Amino acid sequence: MALDRPHGLNSLGFAKPPADTRVVVAMSGGVDSSVVAAQLAEEGYDVVGVTLQLYDHGAALAKKGACCAGRDIHDARRVAEEMGFPHYVLDYENTFREAVIDEFADSYLAGATPVPCIRCNERVKFKDLLATAKDLDADCMATGHYIQRTMGPERAELHRAADMNRDQSYFLFSTTQEQLEFLRFPLGHLPSKAETRALAAKYGLPVADKPDSQDICFVPNGDYASVIEKLRPGAADPGEIVDMEGTVLGEHRGVIHYTIGQRRGLGIGGLSDPLYVVRLDPDARQVVVGPKEALAKRTVPVREINWLGDAPFTSRPEWEVEVRIRSTRPPAPAVIRPISETEAEVELATPEQGVSPGQACVFYDPDSTRVFGGGWIHKGVSTDPA
């Protein structure tokens, strides 16, 4: 781990030999966390591997492209055996369903577009698993996420990964300061995924060529609607597609099949200009469509804010930052105006399209790679393209 560190500290930041430093590694069974565990074990740390069983892996065994399935548990165990450190599998199915899956279904039914991977990090991996690591007398917990933790003049800071194409800061914005003090991200400084796979090959890991997970782990093939329909029978009831004035243009096959900004698959023909989903009204079972310009949003209400700046969030009337409102979009200039310690109004310098309740709004320092936290976009997003 070629990281700058004060003299006398080991690579994880502790003033003692690696052999006296216990680190719990959250192992998903993929190449990233496997490399972290193998590297730390080779450096002589007291490594303990932990894998969470998050859902019925019997049903998931036949499914590739998701994390924490039965095959992934097997792969994590093999890595631990080959590298010679203990490995435990913890059954978190009930916790995961209550903290992540149920909210995912309910959010979709409410017309939002949730990001369950963030909730999993927030409510399971960095909460219950982190508590388990402390119960195991670990000095810290390491993960395979592509993000950087550095020591600033005030405290530990969260920074974007060196490889911006792999950066996972959008999914880790809710990491609290207390959690950040305990967490380590050994891969965040690597310039590309190629280096991770090279390390896996160097250590002879059986997962060196394993493909990256693509889907949400409990959503086979990205088919959200079928999962939600199983969890909430009747969720796919049909209803009306209406324009912004309420004129009925057609019928939809269930609000859960649609997302803000969607253009294709509406089944509305014969119109001169394309229409996009601009709003979902689950109570009226309506999908509201309009022109592309109706998607432009400048003001974004955000709540459940996790602030990682050095000064208190409410110590200023506004913060000039960059924000990312979708994982696939680059950060863009904005102003945050705090309402309370956990609520704010975000004004985008340039209106963006497809801003959806349920997505995250992540805050970045415009002058560095530092992540200042973020919050959740909620209903009430206003249209102000001017």
Side-chain angles (χ1 to χ4, degrees), residues 3 145-150 157-163 167 180 185 187-190 369 371:
L3 297 176
H145 289 107
Y146 287 87
I147 195 166
Q148 299 189 79
R149 173 196 183 276
T150 64
E157 298 176 355
L158 200 62
H159 285 255
R160 298 175 69 183
D163 179 3
D167 175 59
L180 190 56
F185 308 106
L187 302 184
H189 69 289
L190 296 181
T369 58
V371 184

Side-chain angles (χ1 to χ4, degrees), residues 16-63:
K16 53 184 176 179
D20 296 332
T21 305
R22 175 169 291 178
V23 51
V24 164
V25 179
M27 299 183 69
S28 68
V31 64
D32 298 326
S33 56
S34 296
V35 164
V36 167
Q39 187 173 31
L40 293 174
E42 187 194 53
E43 289 185 25
Y45 286 98
D46 178 8
V47 173
V48 178
V50 176
T51 301
L52 301 182
Q53 180 179 314
L54 298 179
Y55 57 93
D56 181 5
H57 68 272
L61 278 170
K63 176 184 172 342

Side-chain angles (χ1 to χ4, degrees), residues 241-244 249 262-264 266-278 289-295:
I241 298 177
V242 301
D243 64 18
M244 297 177 70
L249 302 178
Q262 180 177 334
R263 175 186 171 187
R264 301 184 184 280
L266 298 180
I268 305 172
L271 299 173
S272 56
D273 296 317
L275 294 176
Y276 298 77
V277 176
V278 298
V289 297
K292 189 174 185 179
E293 54 266 26
L295 288 169

Side-chain angles (χ1 to χ4, degrees), residues 276-305:
Y276 298 77
V277 176
V278 298
R279 188 164 55 86
L280 299 171
D281 187 341
D283 293 333
R285 294 215 307 271
Q286 287 184 333
V287 173
V288 183
V289 297
K292 189 174 185 179
E293 54 266 26
L295 288 169
K297 312 292 181 187
R298 181 185 290 278
T299 305
V300 183
V302 178
R303 62 188 176 190
E304 292 183 67
I305 288 171

Side-chain angles (χ1 to χ4, degrees), residues 148-305:
Q148 299 189 79
R149 173 196 183 276
T150 64
M151 286 307 299
E154 301 287 334
R155 63 187 78 188
E157 298 176 355
L158 200 62
H159 285 255
R160 298 175 69 183
D163 179 3
M164 293 300 182
N165 293 321
R166 305 292 307 182
D167 175 59
Q168 292 177 292
S169 58
Y170 182 86
F171 299 98
L172 296 168
F173 83 84
S174 61
T175 305
T176 66
Q177 189 65 48
E178 182 182 4
Q179 292 167 345
L180 190 56
E181 301 297 335
F182 192 72
L183 288 164
R184 301 293 187 273
F185 308 106
L187 302 184
H189 69 289
L190 296 181
S192 75
K193 182 64 177 263
E195 279 73 12
T196 305
R197 292 200 179 277
L199 286 170
K202 169 188 170 184
Y203 299 131
L205 301 183
V207 295
D209 298 319
K210 186 174 182 177
D212 292 339
S213 59
Q214 299 295 329
D215 301 329
I216 295 172
C217 63
F218 59 90
V219 182
N221 304 317
D223 187 357
Y224 303 157
S226 65
V227 171
I228 296 165
E229 206 168 358
K230 288 179 183 176
L231 293 168
R232 303 289 186 269
D237 290 346
E240 297 172 337
I241 298 177
V242 301
D243 64 18
M244 297 177 70
E245 284 71 46
T247 304
V248 177
L249 302 178
E251 186 177 272
H252 65 74
R253 53 198 179 94
V255 171
I256 60 172
H257 292 282
Y258 302 85
T259 57
I260 304 295
Q262 180 177 334
R263 175 186 171 187
R264 301 184 184 280
L266 298 180
I268 305 172
L271 299 173
S272 56
D273 296 317
L275 294 176
Y276 298 77
V277 176
V278 298
R279 188 164 55 86
L280 299 171
D281 187 341
D283 293 333
R285 294 215 307 271
Q286 287 184 333
V287 173
V288 183
V289 297
K292 189 174 185 179
E293 54 266 26
L295 288 169
K297 312 292 181 187
R298 181 185 290 278
T299 305
V300 183
V302 178
R303 62 188 176 190
E304 292 183 67
I305 288 171

